[in-house]
Amino acid sequence: MNKTNIITLCFFVLFFGFSCQNQKNKQTIPASFNGVWEDVNNDDFKNCYAVYSEVGDSIHIAHYIEFKGQPFFETGSGIIKDDSIIYHVDVIKPIPAWGPDDGTHYLKLSEDKNTLKGIFITDGGHKGPLVFKRK
């Protein structure tokens, strides 16, 4: 082996070692969704909380909000995939103007693990943003 090949080989071994170490560090802090989260979409929402519970790779939720003074409640369950959750919700206490639609929430956990951001899509096709902050 000539000197250039040895230097190139050493470079790739070091690069690979650092890459593996970086990946290992990222995997040592698993995503956790358990607990109480505050719904922080906008000022029309008050007393808005989501409670998440993990069971294996499943997620369960109870979500209460007051939108312009009207109560709304939904429950649901779904799956956890790395730093994301997808779950279907059943509306228990609807807001009449919104209709009775159940739906699906798609959320991703922020790097600091304190914010969930994503979207909802109702079974009727309405969609919009969702933002939760860890309490």
Side-chain angles (χ1 to χ4, degrees), residues 20-98:
C20 289
Q21 184 63 34
N22 230 3
Q23 188 66 20
K24 182 180 175 186
N25 288 341
K26 286 181 182 178
Q27 293 174 351
T28 58
I29 304 171
S32 174
F33 302 96
N34 286 321
V36 178
W37 296 73
E38 187 172 10
D39 190 327
V40 293
N41 281 303
N42 66 47
D43 291 338
D44 289 331
F45 293 86
K46 304 287 183 213
N47 298 317
C48 304
Y49 300 99
V51 179
Y52 289 97
S53 179
E54 295 176 35
V55 179
D57 64 352
S58 296
I59 192 79
H60 302 276
I61 180 177
H63 185 204
Y64 175 81
I65 68 173
E66 292 173 7
F67 179 74
K68 296 183 178 180
Q70 294 183 309
F72 174 88
F73 185 73
E74 62 188 355
T75 62
S77 61
I79 60 169
I80 300 168
K81 180 69 175 158
D82 300 323
D83 62 352
S84 298
I85 53 178
I86 300 170
Y87 54 90
H88 186 268
V89 291
D90 296 314
V91 175
I92 308 302
K93 173 76 172 144
I95 291 176
W98 291 0

Side-chain angles (χ1 to χ4, degrees), residues 105-120:
H105 296 180
Y106 303 85
L107 298 166
K108 183 174 176 73
L109 189 62
S110 63
E111 280 193 36
D112 70 2
K113 311 230 185 301
N114 291 316
T115 305
L116 282 168
K117 285 187 180 182
I119 63 168
F120 71 87

